[in-house]
Amino acid sequence: MKRTTKKLLSFVMVLTMLMSLCSVFALADEGEAFKIGGTGPLTGGAAIYGNAAANGAQIAVDEINAEGGIQFELKYEDDAHDAEKAVNAYNALKDWGMQISLGSVTTAPCNATSAETFNDRIFALTPSASAVTVTDGKDNQFQMCFADPNQGSASAQYIFDQDLGSKIAVIWKNDEDYSTGIRNTFVEKAEELGLEIVSETTFAAGNDTDFTVQLTEAQNAGADLVFLPMYYQPASLILSQAAAMGYEPKWFGVDGMDGILTMEGFDPAMAEGVMLLTPFNADAEDERTQAFVAKYQELYDEVPNQFAADAYDCVYAYKQALEAAGATPDMSAEEINDLMMEQFTSMTFDGLTGEGMTWDATGAVSKSPKGMVIQDGAYVGL
Amino acid sequence: MKNMKLNRNARKNFITYGLVIAAYAILQTMSVTGSISSSLRGMLVPICAYVVMAVSLNLTVGVLGELSLGHAGFMSVGAFTGVTAAMALQNTVPSPTLRLCIGMVTGAVFAAIAGVLIGIPVLRLKGDYLAIVTLAFGEIIKSIINNLYVGVDENGLQMSLLTNKLALADGGKVIISGPMGITTIEKLSTFTAGFILVMLTLFIVFNLVNSRSGRAIMAIRDNRIAAESVGVNIVKYRLMAFVTSAALAGAAGTLFAMNYSTIIANKFDFNTSILVLVFVVLGGLGNMLGSIIAAAALTILPEALRQFADYRMLIYAIVLILVMLITNNPTLKGYLDVAKGKLTGAGKKPVPQTTEGGAGNE
């Protein structure tokens, strides 16, 4: 009986091995277009970010290819927001012949893939993996988004400068590096500036549906501004539960909050008056943003969030750098890597998520965050 | 009769060793000559780690007969302690191989300690209750590591809980940083190290199962009251199997973590425990070779299905269901027995079973 099982299993294994070999031989012709690859959570709990980035990048690639001139071929592989799967996805992209990388969309997978791209000397520009560890000590890893510490301290600075609140409460997710990273630098900067933090409460994956304890504590402490360094799903629950208990402080969020207005089943009226720092505003008046938003809505039937805009900018930044360096698609990944490192540290780039962006040698971007407030279900510049 | 059975067991064990060695030899040659894809090469070490996980869980589930849903917790303990040890010794022990070994031993020891601590209360329970409590312990381990901060400087290791209160001297570095986990792992794991760990695991498990203790463990599985009545020390033998299983999982955790530059506690959650349990159930309870094959096949399968893009995980699930159904289908098993009978000439098992099934269907 057991032998039967064994035979069947070995058959399945042989089949899978053959399939994995097939994918190796299916390499496309080289030399026509630059092969850009990226990994992101196209499935699973963080899929909204991965798909947004993949869609945004695809729009940019289609636009650039239609212009003639420099040509791109884009491939996104699913990493399900997991470091192990991200490395697998990265290896699959390497087999495909990737020459330049868009890193990974989320932080933990990008920590893993950035070490791989660093070792393999493939240049990577991540749209949205915001931890410092992604670029730290790796000379060919660059970011299109703000690093977490910048966001935390920029938020504290902003609250201080605009005198938005005197008693601040912070609710953060203590098992997530994104949330913890921003909270740490926020608290540090707030102390430095003399902002008073009256309540600090946490939650974690698995107990992120009921926030009455955290909100009651903030309310009892008399907080008039609540800082929410987190993604939009828990934030949406916090907002609606606070409304239900009649607690109405000022709310201040971070770029992960972007997307709350388009979330299914969420009443945008709840988010009225929420302030956040985000580099991208889908309601901006300028022509490029409007064209991008219109295109995105036409193709994917939703308003693009910051992740889509970041990925879109990444592809255009690559275009600008490749053109300036005179790179050709027949170059190896390593040759392109050296050219890109030179270009990115010297060029200035204008994109949807900021004007006059520059990168320093550590790979961190320098652009100014835009303060936004939600009014009548739309972002308005502060 | 008894003699024959022992021989059969021994033969089966040697076949398992042989197949593992052959697989290693082939893959290593292909890897050196560069004839395998980056994709497959990247999976070699994780496959070894999952094989060790599956074989060690099979010791608890198949041999001891208790359902454990917290096996990833031990992997987590092993991963974090092992990597911490290897990183802390970076300046004192120059040889990377030696550091990997120290890491794996440390991982195994700490996982074993966790196994004892958890085993003492848990093994007083049985069945569903035991399963649920192991699940809870797996989650507790995850929560603790998510809130643990460990750093090293010239004065040695420092740690703090909940928030980063480490006061490191100049030149010190943070190793475990709460939810960010470990982000600067030096990749020391190699396929050869993984292969050696798999062989060692098989050696330990086969020898334990075929020893006096192993027979006591299986006696407890088959009939606890009968075993107790003939004087088998229930707690001792259950703990022995449980802790051995935990220690091997710890070593696998270190091997796994050292293959990536970063590791976070949330990786070792309930899903990972279930994944390993799927390997064991698919490979057959108590069947070590089955566990090895299932672990390897199910690690490669999702990657091999990448060409199906969005439908990948759907197809993975369907394949899983089909394999589970097919391996438990008596009619198909009958056909396979016939095929086997023809291949080996004189079939050991009587064939009528097939015709019976066939007649029923017609």
Side-chain angles (χ1 to χ4, degrees):
Chain A
M1 222 160 51
K2 277 173 183 163
R3 289 215 186 130
T4 339
T5 321
K6 234 183 293 165
K7 286 221 165 133
L8 260 172
L9 274 170
S10 44
F11 174 68
V12 169
M13 196 178 80
V14 167
L15 210 69
T16 54
M17 286 209 169
L18 282 176
M19 279 165 112
S20 66
L21 282 176
C22 288
S23 57
V24 182
F25 294 121
L27 291 180
D29 293 330
E30 281 169 27
E32 296 287 313
F34 289 102
K35 290 187 165 183
I36 305 187
T39 83
L42 306 181
T43 60
I48 198 159
Y49 308 115
N51 285 313
N55 293 345
Q58 190 60 51
I59 290 178
V61 166
D62 290 345
E63 283 176 10
I64 293 168
N65 286 351
E67 272 174 27
I70 212 163
Q71 296 290 306
F72 286 122
E73 201 179 331
L74 176 74
K75 189 164 185 171
Y76 253 92
E77 285 286 358
D78 183 22
D79 64 23
H81 189 33
D82 177 275
E84 180 198 356
K85 296 196 184 81
V87 172
N88 287 341
Y90 166 77
N91 282 326
L93 287 169
K94 232 169 70 175
D95 287 332
W96 170 67
M98 170 172 68
Q99 289 163 299
I100 25 182
S101 168
L102 289 173
S104 301
V105 171
T106 43
T107 294
C110 202
N111 274 333
T113 53
S114 66
E116 301 292 326
T117 40
F118 173 67
N119 284 332
D120 293 332
R121 306 311 296 160
I122 297 176
F123 188 85
L125 173 66
T126 168
S128 49
S130 50
V132 181
T133 45
V134 169
T135 54
D136 193 27
K138 298 162 199 145
D139 59 358
N140 61 350
Q141 305 299 308
F142 286 71
Q143 283 166 323
M144 181 54 83
C145 57
F146 298 115
D148 290 342
N150 289 343
Q151 270 211 60
S153 53
S155 298
Q157 186 73 49
Y158 198 86
I159 291 170
F160 179 76
D161 289 346
Q162 307 279 328
D163 199 18
L164 294 173
S166 54
K167 289 182 166 182
I168 298 167
V170 184
I171 302 176
W172 49 291
K173 188 173 182 184
N174 67 348
D175 68 344
E176 185 181 81
D177 45 6
Y178 174 73
S179 190
T180 311
I182 297 177
R183 174 260 168 200
N184 288 346
T185 48
F186 178 83
V187 170
E188 209 170 286
K189 188 75 179 179
E191 274 168 12
E192 191 186 310
L193 294 169
L195 291 171
E196 191 189 354
I197 294 176
V198 290
S199 157
E200 268 208 76
T201 43
T202 63
F203 63 98
N207 63 353
D208 51 1
T209 49
D210 183 13
F211 294 96
T212 40
V213 175
Q214 289 91 329
L215 288 167
T216 310
E217 193 179 317
Q219 191 175 24
N220 290 344
D224 55 5
L225 184 142
V226 181
F227 182 56
L228 304 173
M230 61 184 74
Y231 288 120
Y232 64 85
Q233 298 98 325
S236 66
L237 292 170
I238 289 179
L239 292 175
S240 55
Q241 285 169 16
M245 58 192 269
Y247 179 40
E248 290 171 338
K250 286 179 182 165
W251 302 100
F252 202 94
V254 287
D255 63 0
M257 194 92 106
D258 191 15
I260 195 165
L261 293 176
T262 50
M263 189 178 173
E264 268 176 51
F266 179 74
D267 178 9
M270 298 273 189
E272 196 65 25
V274 172
M275 288 169 279
L276 65 152
L277 288 186
T278 173
F280 174 69
N281 172 8
D283 291 326
E285 299 290 316
D286 69 294
E287 205 180 307
R288 281 190 73 190
T289 308
Q290 287 190 340
F292 172 68
V293 173
K295 187 91 189 263
Y296 196 97
Q297 276 180 315
E298 181 196 325
L299 289 172
Y300 306 108
D301 207 21
E302 58 188 18
V303 178
N305 58 17
Q306 173 218 335
F307 290 80
D310 278 330
Y312 180 88
D313 276 358
C314 281
V315 176
Y316 270 98
Y318 269 141
K319 174 178 185 265
Q320 185 183 333
L322 290 166
E323 280 174 351
T328 51
D330 55 5
M331 285 181 172
S332 71
E334 195 165 345
E335 285 166 340
I336 296 178
N337 174 52
D338 293 342
L339 293 173
M340 289 297 103
M341 277 168 59
E342 202 181 298
Q343 285 298 325
F344 269 85
T345 45
S346 60
M347 73 178 195
T348 307
F349 173 72
D350 295 328
L352 301 180
T353 62
E355 301 279 306
M357 290 181 224
T358 54
W359 284 266
D360 59 23
T362 64
V365 69
S366 146
K367 58 182 177 186
S368 53
K370 296 175 189 160
M372 298 284 167
V373 63
I374 296 174
Q375 271 175 12
D376 302 326
Y379 295 119
V380 179
L382 267 175
Chain B
M1 187 69 192
K2 192 184 165 195
N3 221 354
M4 252 179 69
K5 193 165 179 266
L6 274 182
N7 280 341
R8 217 179 69 203
N9 268 339
R11 208 176 65 207
K12 205 178 157 189
N13 294 352
F14 280 114
I15 290 175
T16 309
Y17 287 131
L19 283 178
V20 171
I21 293 171
Y24 168 74
I26 294 169
L27 287 169
Q28 183 68 4
T29 322
M30 283 171 79
S31 182
V32 168
T33 54
S35 52
I36 56 171
S37 62
S38 313
S39 186
L40 186 56
R41 190 193 317 236
M43 280 185 280
L44 293 177
V45 176
I47 287 174
C48 290
Y50 283 128
V51 163
V52 176
M53 287 296 289
V55 170
S56 62
L57 184 63
N58 210 338
L59 186 62
T60 309
V61 179
V63 179
L64 179 62
E66 292 293 1
L67 187 58
S68 166
L69 297 179
H71 209 50
F74 299 121
M75 191 184 187
S76 181
V77 171
F80 281 91
T81 53
V83 172
T84 304
M87 282 175 80
L89 293 172
Q90 203 151 11
N91 299 327
T92 25
V93 183
S95 155
T97 320
L98 189 59
R99 248 182 297 140
L100 178 64
C101 290
I102 294 174
M104 286 209 259
V105 171
T106 316
V109 168
F110 274 89
I113 294 171
V116 174
L117 290 178
I118 293 170
I120 290 170
V122 163
L123 292 175
R124 309 210 167 261
L125 307 167
K126 56 186 170 186
D128 303 347
Y129 301 100
L130 188 142
I132 290 165
V133 175
T134 50
L135 165 69
F137 272 109
E139 294 298 302
I140 290 173
I141 290 172
K142 192 180 86 181
S143 286
I144 291 176
I145 295 177
N146 258 329
N147 286 295
L148 182 69
Y149 293 82
V150 175
V152 65
D153 60 9
E154 71 247 23
N155 303 322
L157 282 175
Q158 293 185 31
M159 60 174 83
S160 74
L161 270 176
L162 291 177
T163 50
N164 190 350
K165 291 188 282 275
L166 303 173
L168 295 173
D170 286 345
K173 63 177 173 183
V174 178
I175 297 178
I176 303 176
S177 172
M180 296 198 63
I182 308 180
T183 48
T184 48
I185 302 174
E186 194 190 352
K187 294 173 70 174
L188 298 177
S189 291
T190 58
F191 184 39
T192 307
F195 163 72
I196 293 169
L197 185 64
V198 171
M199 290 300 282
L200 201 66
T201 304
L202 286 175
F203 181 78
I204 292 171
V205 171
F206 283 150
N207 278 291
L208 177 63
V209 172
N210 290 334
S211 69
R212 187 166 177 271
S213 309
R215 285 188 290 278
I217 293 167
M218 284 184 283
I220 296 170
R221 173 192 67 189
D222 293 338
N223 193 327
R224 186 183 162 125
I225 296 170
E228 208 165 7
S229 73
V230 294
V232 173
N233 185 340
I234 303 271
V235 174
K236 177 183 155 191
Y237 287 111
R238 293 179 93 198
L239 204 57
M240 182 187 281
F242 195 72
V243 171
T244 311
S245 164
L248 291 172
T254 310
L255 177 78
F256 182 84
M258 290 285 215
N259 185 49
Y260 297 100
S261 58
T262 178
I263 200 86
I264 56 172
N266 283 358
K267 168 76 199 164
F268 306 104
D269 60 358
F270 179 56
N271 289 340
T272 309
S273 295
I274 293 294
L275 182 72
V276 178
L277 191 63
V278 168
F279 298 156
V280 172
V281 174
L282 193 63
L285 296 182
N287 180 351
M288 300 305 163
L289 183 58
S291 291
I292 296 174
I293 295 172
L298 289 189
T299 310
I300 294 172
L301 188 61
E303 293 311 310
L305 292 175
R306 273 201 184 275
Q307 48 197 316
F308 295 103
D310 290 351
Y311 302 98
R312 186 164 71 102
M313 293 322 282
L314 181 69
I315 293 172
Y316 175 76
I318 293 173
V319 169
L320 208 59
I321 293 170
L322 286 181
V323 172
M324 287 283 186
L325 284 178
I326 289 169
T327 50
N328 282 304
N329 185 320
T331 321
L332 279 169
K333 269 181 188 165
Y335 286 135
L336 266 174
D337 280 340
V338 175
K340 198 158 59 181
K342 278 181 187 159
L343 278 178
T344 51
K348 278 176 213 155
K349 279 184 188 171
V351 184
Q353 211 189 345
T354 340
T355 40
E356 228 170 79
N361 284 336
E362 285 154 12

